[in-house]
Amino acid sequence: MEIRNVTATAETFTSNVYLVPEPVPTLIDAGAMSGIVDAITDSVSTIDRVLLTHQHGDHIGELDAIVSAFDPEIYAYDEIDARTNEIEDGDLVSIGGEPFEVVYTPGHAGDHVCYLGENVLFSGDVVVHDDGAFEGGSFGRTDLAGQSRERLIESIEALLDRMGPDVSELYAGHGSTFTGDVHQIIETALERAKRREPKYTEQ
């Protein structure tokens, strides 16, 4: 499966936005990078679907621009004006012609989901490889209103329980992509979260 990060060269704060061009041009999140429509059309002529991990501003800031340019279907867990397809925990969606399970993973955001395939995990902000706070396994911040470290821990545990043995590629909402032992990265993130290691301003 070909996966491109169309916000890789962004100079302003944004989430990673992943483009899977074949067979149905699909985005994972919309990001907040000005000019993202041009970045997308450098690779494909249209976008058929956008799958949201959650609705924090850095992940949906440019959603209206993408909808205006391409009129794609929008898959989201919680209600949003642009949503065309409601998704729930356990649903299957197709990405790159392969089935991905929707895994509800709140804690960082109340509407957060991951997309879990046989070999690939789109983890949003629940688990990342590196983000400036930790490397080799980090987790979404939980110090803001509406967030919960306890619920995040439960979500990471549930994600691990549902992952198959062949998941070897991690595409997170921030930081770099990772190929290798994804289970170990997530286990490290879980251990850090359980130790209540502070992240950013959280104490």
Side-chain angles (χ1 to χ4, degrees):
M1 181 189 304
E2 181 182 2
I3 303 170
R4 307 173 190 170
N5 182 355
V6 295
T7 56
T9 61
E11 296 181 355
T12 56
F13 183 67
T14 179
S15 71
N16 292 327
V17 175
Y18 298 109
L19 166 65
V20 182
E22 298 289 346
V24 178
T26 299
L27 291 181
I28 311 300
D29 285 326
M33 182 183 81
S34 178
I36 194 168
V37 169
D38 290 338
I40 292 167
T41 55
D42 283 344
S43 295
V44 293
S45 60
T46 192
I47 293 294
D48 288 351
R49 298 180 308 167
V50 179
L51 309 181
L52 299 179
T53 61
H54 62 298
Q55 296 184 38
H56 284 171
D58 54 324
H59 290 255
I60 66 165
E62 289 297 307
L63 181 60
D64 287 348
I66 290 170
V67 169
S68 179
F70 305 113
D71 192 27
E73 294 185 347
I74 307 297
Y75 291 68
Y77 183 89
D78 267 358
E79 185 175 352
I80 186 173
D81 287 345
R83 184 176 70 178
T84 60
N85 298 74
E86 179 181 358
I87 52 175
E88 297 181 354
D89 183 67
D91 285 352
L92 292 179
V93 297
S94 179
I95 304 173
E98 300 178 13
F100 280 72
E101 181 182 7
V102 175
V103 183
Y104 180 48
T105 49
H108 173 70
D111 65 334
H112 199 290
V113 297
C114 298
Y115 299 97
L116 175 61
E118 182 178 359
N119 306 112
V120 173
L121 171 63
F122 294 99
S123 63
D125 288 358
V126 167
V127 173
V128 304
H129 178 264
D130 56 272
D131 59 3
F134 303 114
E135 292 189 6
S138 189
F139 51 89
R141 66 186 303 169
T142 56
D143 59 301
L144 301 177
Q147 299 178 333
S148 167
R149 177 68 69 91
E150 293 302 324
R151 192 66 185 89
L152 181 75
I153 289 169
E154 293 174 1
S155 292
I156 298 173
E157 290 174 335
L159 185 59
L160 275 170
D161 286 343
R162 289 161 73 169
M163 283 177 59
D166 297 327
V167 177
S168 59
E169 297 180 41
L170 175 66
Y171 294 86
H174 298 279
S176 59
T177 60
F178 174 79
T179 300
D181 190 347
V182 173
H183 288 80
Q184 182 59 55
I185 297 301
I186 297 178
E187 287 168 0
T188 298
L190 178 60
E191 291 168 3
R192 285 173 165 159
K194 284 182 171 180
R195 289 198 299 265
R196 302 302 190 275
E197 294 193 27
K199 184 173 183 185
Y200 305 123
T201 60
E202 185 175 18
Q203 300 298 320

